[in-house]
Amino acid sequence: MTITRELLIGGKAVPARSGRTTADLNPYTGQAYATVAAAGPEDVTLAVDAAQAAFDDWAALSPFARRTIFLKAADLLQERGEQAAALMAGEVGGTRPWALFNVGLAANMLREVAAAITAPRGDVLAAQEEGALGLAVREPVGVVAAFSPWNAPLILGVRSVAAALAAGNTVVMKPSEDAPIACGLFVADVLAEAGLPDGVLNVVTNDPADAAQVAEALIADERVRAVNFTGSTEVGRIIGTHAARHLKPAVLELGGKNAIIVLDDADLGYAVDAATFGVFMNAGQICMSGDRVLVHESLAEEFTARFAAKVSALPAGDPAEPATVIGPLVSAAAAQRVAALVRDAVAKGATVVTGGGEPSGAVHPATVLTSVPADADLYYGEGFGPICVIDTFATDEEAVAKANDTAHGLTAGIITENGTHGLRVARRLQTGIVHVNDQSVADEPQAPFGGFKSSGYGRFGGRWGIEAFTNTRWITLATQHAHYPF
């Protein structure tokens, strides 16, 4: 039976003012998984009304009371692991291991922000005036606009709202049209059951055709004081431009063109396993996925053979099957986009080591290419699918140059048995994140998460996430009367 959901505004499920709805499709079957309300700008205004009305009471709530809500939400989310797995399979084609990983990390994000609520925040400053006390305090900004993506829906849905809410802000969330429930309404359901007051988190779903209009209306509302967006660099530029036009700070976590570097002192078996995970987890639909595997020339032949053999054996197909590793992409169109990248690369001289061919619906074969020329679309373009390129290098300098030869700068992995060697290379990479002796995909709730260059700016996670959604104020207290010149 198809699920039906409405907007969440002021704690109530309400239809769009226009009465319109939009279909939420199952990417594996192509059938409607759910029907959700299709909001317009007038609904955005109502959602901001509700968030603004709830702000003062939420900001004034005892930190210990706020902390209790987030801790309860974390437990509730973990209790709903199987429900989340079914939801992610039906809505975005997520495999069960990927869904349960989403649940575990999202729950820990909630626990981390719960801890941050009662952690010390602010500074006592040295004062120029005699007898004065200076304070730097962090306070909530007001209403925050949150844009959450579909590819890691529970992780990124929770991340888009958790720090902002924990800091005392209220939120209007616009989830991706490809996962309006998993990265929006489901997250709000869990928080509401945990005791989040009405109006503190509002969710506005929309038809894809209205996305630009709805996003612009949300950012332009003068009561919205900060923005966060996770998604493609192309859309992130638009969101960032709108935010800048209205002088609103933004946290943008955007696309990546990430490299996994296999140094000459790597353990080859470990390198193969690490790269396979880093490239093909969630069918490569992770901003941190390894698009490029750069292998020292002394290891390249054996690595390529062993890697191709492992990749060709990855089970693909129905995300509901427990053994499936390569599930469907978010849509058949996304699979065709990846296939077009392969065709273009091959036409320009690349070699398919394994995979390639036409997708079956939204399922694209796990594909490994070599000899991809610089004029191929895939050379600089983000794959964002079950596809990677193997390239070689002779020196660390060449590896660093190739890894940095991209407009993006999100993450990287360096496989080596020599930590000092790995750290020397890591310090030269132009990324927001790098993992030595690991692949490129990792996230921990207490760590600063974000990119560099065209991969965005600002940081989620830990104290950096709280700082992103608070305003630093200077407050002084004079303990004696000042003397004035007139």
Side-chain angles (χ1 to χ4, degrees):
M1 180 180 293
T2 302
I3 299 168
T4 301
R5 293 297 302 262
E6 296 182 321
L7 310 177
L8 178 65
I9 297 177
K12 296 180 173 58
V14 297
R17 292 290 295 272
S18 66
R20 294 172 57 227
T21 61
T22 187
D24 176 18
L25 300 181
N26 179 318
Y28 186 66
T29 66
Q31 302 300 308
Y33 175 75
T35 299
V36 299
E42 64 277 13
D43 300 295
V44 170
T45 299
L46 292 175
V48 178
D49 288 345
Q52 183 66 38
F55 171 68
D56 286 341
D57 287 345
W58 175 245
L61 188 67
S62 156
F64 289 88
R66 286 210 306 272
R67 185 178 67 176
T68 297
I69 292 170
F70 287 97
L71 291 174
K72 184 175 181 181
D75 293 341
L76 287 171
L77 184 56
Q78 287 203 290
E79 290 170 9
R80 296 185 178 185
E82 292 304 323
Q83 181 185 352
L87 172 59
M88 282 182 55
E91 194 170 40
V92 295
T95 62
R96 188 170 183 275
W98 174 238
L100 295 182
F101 176 77
N102 265 251
V103 169
L105 180 53
N108 281 337
M109 287 177 167
L110 291 167
R111 294 187 179 104
E112 184 66 25
V113 297
I117 291 170
T118 51
R121 192 159 67 235
D123 298 282
V124 177
L125 308 174
Q128 175 177 292
E129 298 298 326
E130 184 179 352
L133 176 66
L135 302 173
V137 299
R138 303 196 72 93
E139 296 182 350
V141 298
V143 180
V144 173
F147 296 83
S148 55
W150 57 265
N151 57 315
L154 298 184
I155 295 170
L156 301 181
V158 166
R159 190 182 73 178
S160 72
V161 302
L165 293 172
N169 303 288
T170 54
V171 174
V172 177
M173 181 192 212
K174 194 195 94 62
S176 165
E177 299 84 11
D178 289 312
I181 301 175
C183 72
L185 293 165
F186 180 77
V187 172
D189 291 344
V190 170
L191 285 163
E193 186 174 338
L196 193 73
D198 292 349
V200 173
L201 174 58
N202 306 273
V203 181
V204 177
T205 58
N206 60 275
D207 186 90
D210 303 324
Q213 186 182 26
V214 168
E216 186 170 2
L218 178 55
I219 297 170
D221 193 301
E222 64 181 11
R223 297 166 296 176
V224 170
R225 296 311 320 152
V227 178
N228 76 77
F229 171 85
T230 300
S232 71
T233 296
E234 179 183 9
V235 177
R237 290 184 195 278
I238 298 170
I239 297 295
T241 299
H242 287 320
R245 183 180 300 117
H246 296 286
L247 296 178
K248 298 176 182 181
V251 177
L252 304 178
E253 196 263 285
L254 309 177
K257 187 68 180 174
N258 312 299
I260 299 171
I261 303 173
V262 181
L263 298 178
D264 59 355
D265 50 22
D267 178 292
L268 199 57
Y270 176 71
V272 168
D273 290 345
T276 303
F277 178 88
V279 173
F280 295 105
M281 182 62 173
N282 195 34
Q285 299 175 113
I286 305 174
C287 58
M288 300 172 282
S289 294
D291 272 29
R292 302 168 293 162
V293 184
L294 308 179
V295 187
H296 191 272
E297 60 185 16
S298 66
L299 304 176
E301 183 176 353
E302 186 177 357
F303 175 88
T304 301
R306 291 171 65 171
F307 183 61
K310 185 175 179 72
V311 170
S312 65
L314 296 175
D318 188 347
E321 292 294 330
T324 297
V325 174
I326 307 296
L329 276 70
V330 71
S331 66
Q336 287 295 336
R337 181 191 59 79
V338 174
L341 290 173
V342 176
R343 287 194 299 270
D344 173 76
V346 171
K348 292 173 179 173
T351 298
V352 176
V353 179
T354 188
E358 288 300 307
S360 174
V363 179
H364 189 283
T367 300
V368 178
L369 302 172
T370 59
S371 303
V372 174
D375 62 341
D377 294 339
L378 182 60
Y379 191 87
Y380 289 109
E382 185 177 14
F384 214 71
I387 181 174
C388 76
V389 173
I390 295 178
D391 198 359
T392 63
F393 61 90
T395 64
D396 288 355
E397 289 70 24
E398 186 181 1
V400 169
K402 287 187 173 184
N404 288 339
D405 185 23
T406 170
H408 292 92
L410 182 56
T411 184
I414 300 172
I415 309 298
T416 173
E417 291 298 296
N418 184 329
T420 302
H421 184 189
L423 187 58
R424 286 200 306 269
V425 174
R427 294 295 298 271
R428 298 169 64 189
L429 299 181
Q430 297 169 352
T431 61
I433 305 164
V434 61
H435 305 290
V436 177
N437 209 26
D438 203 352
Q439 43 71 50
S440 57
V441 178
D443 192 357
E444 295 184 4
Q446 80 286 358
F449 190 100
F452 185 52
K453 302 194 292 189
S454 292
S455 291
Y457 48 78
R459 293 294 181 266
F460 293 99
R463 64 177 175 83
W464 299 272
I466 298 294
E467 289 171 1
F469 303 108
T470 52
N471 181 36
T472 302
R473 301 184 65 207
W474 178 36
I475 298 175
T476 67
L477 171 64
T479 62
Q480 62 188 50
H481 289 179
H483 296 284
Y484 306 106
F486 56 86

